[in-house]
Amino acid sequence: IVAHRHTSRWVETFIPLKLDKTRENRSRLRENGVYLITGGLGNIGLMLAEYLARKVKAKLILTGRSPLPPRQEWEQWQKDHDETDAVSQKIERLKIIENAGAEIRVFGLDTADKEKMQTMISRVENELGRIDGVIHAAGTMKGKSFAPLRQLEIAHCQEQFQPKVKGLMILEELFRGKEPDFFWLLSSISVVLGGLGIAAYAAANSYMDALAQKLERRQPGKWISVNWDGMDSEKTQVSFERILSQEKITRVAASNGGNLQERIRRWMEPGLIKEEDKSAEKEMKSQTPRPALMSPYVAPGTPIEKTLAEIFQNMFGYDRVGINDDFFELGLDSIKAIRIRMLMNKEGYDIELPDFFNYPAITKLIPQITAMKPAAIHPGTTIAGEIYEQLKTRYPSPVHTPLSAHPVSS
């Protein structure tokens, strides 16, 4: 971003900030405090909820657009559904958070619905007292909003602007005069780095950043917007704690992929995107054990599964990735999705960027794959044919077949 003001030319840059271990006397968190997390049933929301449970035995108010069964029905739901069921996995994570010392209230509602938000906040205040902090993590990583600009329509953009922008404006209005200790806004690193197919997503997050700066002038020391990068649970929780403890900071870019200014240079200058790819390949040599995820590890079996698993484990730096592992739990973000797509292209596989967010596991992603047209390949061994035959065997439901499942001659 470049701004010309009077005789000056202003260029946005980012300066590394060393975040030392939080000192107890600088923590904004209260023991047994009441904390609202919009989007609290999403992956990052649940990571932060677990941290608050362990750190201060918090009373947690978690909202999400997809309601869960009533608390008394959780056990039965898990008996009736296997461990790959999305609702069962959320229930299991909530039980872990409860066991860590939290008291949890779950509300199925849309953050952009002012009336329901007001009812929820009033109920919480009547039952639990003052809400001590607000984490705005509402948003979606699915849907038609992840598309090239020429395909975007107003309705698609609203998928992002409703929860993030309108939701934030409603929160500001409803908490006016209530003075929580902080408002933490989960923005995205895509505001800085951009990326193919994420214009609506980046724009909504950019608006949140700007609004946070405006609101901070009204309530100094209360508002902070974080341009979040994909990271695992441990890094998420440590980053949250240390950023929250900083003073006089309204916006922070949490870069999990090295020096941010260097990443900007690689993305902006022609030809350097290939260097980013090579850099990623170097990083692949350093791998850590697969973290504890909600889905048990299931090893890849077919050639396609093995290829994709290797790409994902190298990108995320883990020694193994199972075919049912959730991409968001692994640390997927829009920038990593672009890089993964590039690596898949090198293997002859193609995928639409939104599919990473709509089908966030290898078993879910594979049926969406199409084959890039190969050049001259020995008859009977085209990638297109390989994909088609393996998909027919493993996935009996309809799949997107390649343009041609026949050998291609020169």
Side-chain angles (χ1 to χ4, degrees):
I1 298 175
V2 177
H4 292 274
R5 295 170 183 163
H6 303 292
T7 59
S8 299
R9 180 178 182 270
W10 298 83
V11 180
E12 184 179 54
T13 58
F14 294 84
I15 302 172
L17 174 66
K18 184 178 181 181
L19 300 179
D20 296 321
K21 186 175 181 180
T22 305
R23 297 197 301 269
E24 289 299 323
N25 62 354
R26 291 179 60 181
S27 176
R28 299 196 207 183
L29 301 176
R30 299 171 183 259
E31 192 71 22
N32 300 125
V34 180
Y35 296 99
L36 166 63
I37 306 179
T38 66
L41 298 179
N43 189 47
I44 297 177
L46 288 169
M47 289 180 186
L48 298 179
E50 183 178 354
Y51 167 77
L52 292 170
R54 289 190 292 101
K55 184 71 175 179
V56 295
K57 311 299 182 187
K59 298 178 177 67
L60 299 171
I61 316 304
L62 309 180
T63 73
R65 281 182 289 183
S66 301
L68 292 182
R71 180 64 180 84
Q72 63 270 21
E73 298 178 12
W74 285 6
E75 297 294 339
Q76 189 60 47
W77 181 281
Q78 289 187 299
K79 290 179 181 178
D80 295 340
H81 300 79
D82 63 33
E83 56 194 8
T84 64
D85 175 69
V87 173
S88 293
Q89 292 177 356
K90 288 182 180 180
I91 289 174
E92 188 61 32
R93 292 184 71 172
L94 290 173
K95 289 164 69 174
I96 291 172
I97 294 169
E98 282 185 332
N99 291 336
E103 179 182 335
I104 298 175
R105 308 286 178 90
V106 179
F107 292 86
L109 53 80
D110 185 346
T111 310
D113 188 324
K114 180 180 175 180
E115 183 177 346
K116 289 184 178 179
M117 285 291 291
Q118 176 66 79
T119 301
M120 179 271 294
I121 291 172
S122 297
R123 176 179 169 184
V124 169
E125 290 175 332
N126 288 334
E127 295 177 0
L128 300 178
R130 173 183 185 266
I131 294 177
D132 299 305
V134 178
I135 299 172
H136 184 45
T140 181
M141 298 299 290
K142 301 179 180 181
K144 295 182 179 180
S145 62
F146 290 92
L149 273 173
R150 65 180 180 275
Q151 297 177 13
L152 280 178
E153 299 177 5
I154 293 177
H156 301 157
C157 296
Q158 289 298 326
E159 294 178 7
Q160 296 297 335
F161 277 76
Q162 285 290 105
K164 287 184 171 292
V165 175
K166 186 177 180 181
L168 175 56
M169 295 172 73
I170 288 173
L171 281 172
E172 188 278 328
E173 180 181 348
L174 297 180
F175 278 96
R176 201 173 295 163
K178 296 180 184 293
E179 296 295 327
D181 296 329
F182 63 85
F183 293 88
W184 165 286
L185 312 183
L186 188 71
S187 181
S188 168
I189 198 73
S190 64
V191 171
V192 181
L193 296 178
L196 301 175
I198 58 174
Y201 177 71
N205 284 293
S206 182
Y207 187 98
M208 287 207 311
D209 293 344
L211 186 55
Q213 290 182 312
K214 178 181 179 180
L215 295 172
E216 175 67 12
R217 290 194 288 270
R218 295 182 191 169
Q219 297 174 291
K222 297 288 187 181
W223 295 84
I224 183 167
S225 187
V226 184
N227 299 131
W228 199 256
D229 204 353
M231 57 186 81
D232 62 28
S233 180
E234 181 179 356
K235 286 183 180 179
T236 292
Q237 295 172 0
V238 170
S239 298
F240 171 77
E241 177 182 42
R242 296 186 181 181
I243 292 173
L244 186 63
S245 70
Q246 301 303 304
E247 298 176 351
K248 299 180 181 179
I249 293 180
T250 308
R251 182 185 173 197
V252 174
S255 174
N256 190 37
N259 183 279
L260 183 56
Q261 207 62 48
E262 177 62 18
R263 292 176 72 185
I264 295 172
R265 186 182 75 88
R266 290 183 182 279
W267 281 96
M268 294 299 292
E269 295 186 24
L272 289 181
I273 191 69
K274 292 184 179 179
E275 291 185 20
E276 180 79 5
D277 195 14
K278 292 178 181 178
S279 175
E281 290 178 357
K282 291 180 181 179
E283 295 171 6
M284 294 173 184
K285 297 177 182 178
S286 177
Q287 296 184 334
T288 58
R290 172 182 177 271
L293 305 178
M294 291 307 303
S295 297
Y297 175 74
V298 178
T302 70
I304 294 176
E305 291 175 347
K306 291 177 180 178
T307 297
L308 295 184
E310 183 177 1
I311 289 173
F312 276 91
Q313 70 188 42
N314 288 337
M315 179 56 64
F316 294 117
Y318 298 130
D319 57 357
R320 59 180 185 169
V321 169
I323 59 175
N324 293 326
D325 291 356
D326 186 282
F327 298 158
F328 297 116
E329 283 193 83
L330 294 171
L332 181 73
D333 59 42
S334 52
I335 306 303
K336 287 187 176 67
I338 293 171
R339 291 170 64 181
I340 291 170
R341 187 188 184 197
M342 291 170 57
L343 295 173
M344 289 176 63
N345 288 168
K346 289 172 64 175
E347 299 294 332
Y349 303 148
D350 197 17
I351 195 78
E352 296 294 328
L353 280 174
D355 289 336
F356 287 107
F357 306 102
N358 293 327
Y359 308 96
I362 289 175
T363 50
K364 298 175 182 177
L365 190 68
I366 285 179
Q368 315 307 317
I369 291 176
T370 56
M372 301 176 69
K373 186 176 180 181
I377 302 180
H378 189 275
T381 61
T382 62
I383 296 172
E386 175 196 347
I387 292 177
Y388 184 59
E389 292 304 319
Q390 292 189 21
L391 291 183
K392 282 199 306 182
T393 301
R394 181 174 282 275
Y395 306 95
S397 58
V399 299
H400 295 292
T401 59
L403 293 177
S404 172
H406 303 284
V408 178
S409 59
S410 58

